Amino acid sequence: MRNIFLFSVFFLSLFTVRAEQADTATRVYIFDIHEAIAPPSWRITQEAFKEADEWGADIIFLNLNTYGGQVDMADSIRTKILNSPKPVYVLVENNAASAGALISIACDKIFMQPGSTIGAATVVDQSGKPVPDKYQSYMRNKMRATAEETGRDPDMAEAMVDPDKYVKGVSDSGKVLTFTTSAAIENGFCEAEMRTIPNALRHLKITNFETKKYKPTTIDKIIGWLINPAISGVLILLIIGGIYFELQSPGLGFPILASIGAALLFFAPYYLEGLAANWEILLFVVGLVLLALEIFVIPGFGVAGIAGIICIVCGLVFSMIGNIGFDFSGVSPDNFLGSLATVLVAITASLMFALFFGARLLNTGPLKKIVLSSTQQKSEGYVSNKNVNATLTGKTGTTFTELRPGGKVKIDNEYYDAFSIEGYLAEGSDIEVVSTQGAQVRVRAK
């Protein structure tokens, strides 16, 4: 009986020890960045850090494989890592180039897989050519400050950006510095060569650990898809195209609904990513209002129209880049020019499509019935009046055709060319003559 009691106590103690060990297991939170550094990467980082904190992680581990990307997004991720109260480690899987090098150097410990590289952080444009020194200086100092903060050689970090930076025995002047795995270990930019995160943890003498990995939600995937420059370009095309076709056929309805829907799909993901600020969206709306005033209220095409176009373009471009208010110092020229090109190409494509295919779309198929296509024959009573009697001012009548904003009106059983100062008026609407100009009367709804 005594032996059975002792045997039971032994197993109870063993179970208690294992339970305590499980309770004290190191919690390691893992997330991946395996694409160009862009707004989706920044969103994933924010969500991952938030979830790691809620889970009570002891260590955050980043799986990184990137050729680089947007400097402003990389700087946001860098700052998030540096300010983390929990240690942040990184495993470089093949590439940590350019913006990826900045992110890696911000981490407390760097591990690299065999055959990986880190460095080559010179800021370049879309063609791969280095941008002016103003932007290189920004990146040099970011790399240097980050290395100083994490206890790595700041001169070597700076040499990853500046080909003229000479580091004895490491970097020859005229060449941008890039480390292989072994060179990074030798120069203090890599803790060790490791193939997996569990191996890296064991290298750190952490044998009792549990892991949790960030899994992108459906919303994350949708947002990442929508802010792809190609998709953004298509949405801009739909925005401008919808506005154009609605102006061509006022009252049609679905073109402007398509335009509004595309605008919501364009701005919403950028707003959620923290890129599109309220004032940038408002700038776009102001541009639309100015353009509408120019078309429907102010005759000709002048200041309001040009200002409207500028506001629309600026609202779209600024929403796609990571400026903070009116501070654009952290925005790389590559990012700005890429966004500007996306907007201009989309607008141009939309206008070209409308120019070459708009009339065909509106005059064939189901849209034909809702567009004015009839001709006004003399045999039907249509005449051109060179001079319109000024006494018509103040008289009332009805629209004989739709006014878009031009058309025909009937006053005292006579037909006149007319122009609606209020834009579109349906056929049969009651009107009042505001003024006469040459052979045309200017009218408004009565």
Side-chain angles (χ1 to χ4, degrees):
M1 189 69 178
R2 182 173 178 274
N3 290 336
I4 295 175
F5 174 75
L6 293 174
F7 189 72
S8 301
V9 170
F10 171 76
F11 272 98
L12 181 60
S13 300
L14 183 61
F15 176 80
T16 303
V17 169
R18 288 183 176 178
E20 289 176 352
Q21 288 177 341
D23 289 339
T24 59
T26 301
R27 292 190 168 191
V28 182
Y29 190 90
I30 302 170
F31 73 103
D32 299 337
I33 296 180
H34 288 165
E35 64 281 322
I37 306 303
S41 306
W42 172 225
R43 178 179 175 80
I44 288 172
T45 301
Q46 290 175 294
E47 293 294 325
F49 272 73
K50 179 181 177 182
E51 191 172 284
D53 184 61
E54 292 173 350
W55 184 55
D58 300 300
I59 298 172
I60 298 175
F61 225 121
L62 167 62
N63 258 326
L64 181 68
N65 184 13
T66 182
Y67 287 104
Q70 299 178 14
V71 175
D72 51 346
M73 294 296 100
D75 185 40
S76 296
I77 297 172
R78 158 201 175 268
T79 304
K80 187 73 174 178
I81 293 172
L82 288 177
N83 292 336
S84 172
K86 306 177 189 297
V88 181
Y89 305 152
V90 61
L91 175 64
V92 176
E93 298 179 337
N94 197 35
N95 292 301
S98 191
L102 178 63
I103 293 170
S104 298
I105 294 172
C107 295
D108 296 284
K109 293 186 184 296
I110 301 173
F111 296 92
M112 297 173 66
Q113 289 185 342
S116 298
T117 54
I118 182 173
T122 301
V123 185
V124 296
D125 59 21
Q126 289 184 315
S127 65
K129 296 180 180 179
V131 298
D133 189 65
K134 171 184 176 181
Y135 304 100
Q136 305 298 351
S137 175
Y138 177 85
M139 189 63 168
R140 280 198 302 269
N141 288 321
K142 280 293 179 184
M143 290 286 285
R144 187 176 187 89
T146 305
E148 289 174 349
E149 185 69 19
T150 55
R152 299 183 176 97
D153 191 313
D155 289 330
M156 294 182 189
E158 186 177 342
M160 292 181 177
V161 181
D162 189 357
D164 295 326
K165 181 69 176 180
Y166 174 75
V167 181
K168 186 177 180 180
V170 177
S171 175
D172 295 329
S173 181
K175 296 181 180 179
V176 175
L177 180 61
T178 300
F179 282 140
T180 61
T181 301
S182 58
I185 294 172
E186 182 182 347
N187 291 282
F189 276 74
C190 179
E191 183 78 14
E193 179 182 283
M194 292 291 160
R195 291 187 179 275
T196 66
I197 288 178
N199 288 342
L201 291 170
R202 294 186 186 99
H203 173 81
L204 297 172
K205 310 300 183 185
I206 302 173
T207 56
N208 183 23
F209 58 85
E210 59 177 317
T211 62
K212 182 176 182 180
K213 192 167 185 178
Y214 173 77
K215 295 180 180 180
T217 64
T218 301
I219 293 178
D220 292 329
K221 294 176 181 178
I222 292 173
I223 290 175
W225 183 74
L226 286 175
I227 61 178
N228 182 292
I231 302 302
S232 294
V234 172
L235 292 174
I236 294 171
L237 188 149
L238 291 174
I239 292 171
I240 303 302
I243 294 171
Y244 173 84
F245 283 112
E246 185 64 29
L247 292 178
Q248 290 295 308
S249 304
L252 194 58
F254 68 84
I256 195 63
L257 290 177
S259 182
I260 293 172
L264 290 174
L265 289 175
F266 175 84
F267 284 108
Y270 285 108
Y271 185 82
L272 292 174
E273 292 293 331
L275 293 176
N278 292 331
W279 71 270
E280 293 165 341
I281 299 174
L282 181 61
L283 186 65
F284 173 79
V285 174
V286 168
L288 294 180
V289 172
L290 288 173
L291 201 58
L293 288 174
E294 185 69 42
I295 294 172
F296 295 112
V297 179
I298 307 172
F301 190 82
V303 176
I306 294 173
I309 292 172
I310 292 174
C311 287
I312 290 172
V313 171
C314 289
L316 293 170
V317 173
F318 293 163
S319 296
M320 298 173 70
I321 60 178
N323 56 296
I324 301 175
F326 296 99
D327 181 12
F328 296 87
S329 60
V331 179
S332 69
D334 181 36
N335 185 17
F336 176 78
L337 292 175
S339 300
L340 180 61
T342 298
V343 172
L344 293 181
V345 168
I347 290 176
T348 302
S350 179
L351 294 178
M352 293 293 288
F353 179 83
L355 179 64
F356 288 105
F357 299 103
R360 184 175 299 179
L361 287 173
L362 293 175
N363 291 304
T364 58
L367 298 182
K368 183 178 181 180
K369 297 179 181 180
I370 53 179
V371 178
L372 179 65
S373 57
S374 61
T375 57
Q376 299 168 340
Q377 303 295 334
K378 184 176 181 180
S379 59
E380 298 176 359
Y382 295 100
V383 294
S384 175
N385 295 323
K386 291 185 178 180
N387 295 302
V388 177
N389 195 328
T391 58
L392 288 176
T393 301
K395 286 196 172 185
T396 59
T398 58
T399 57
F400 185 68
T401 67
E402 294 174 314
L403 302 188
R404 298 177 175 271
K408 290 284 184 178
V409 296
K410 184 178 180 181
I411 303 172
D412 294 337
N413 292 321
E414 296 288 339
Y415 299 95
Y416 299 92
D417 293 319
F419 179 87
S420 169
I421 64 172
E422 297 175 336
Y424 175 80
L425 289 177
E427 179 183 342
S429 300
D430 293 329
I431 53 92
E432 179 183 4
V433 178
V434 176
S435 63
T436 61
Q437 184 176 357
Q440 190 179 70
V441 294
R442 299 171 68 83
V443 302
R444 65 185 175 194
K446 185 174 180 299

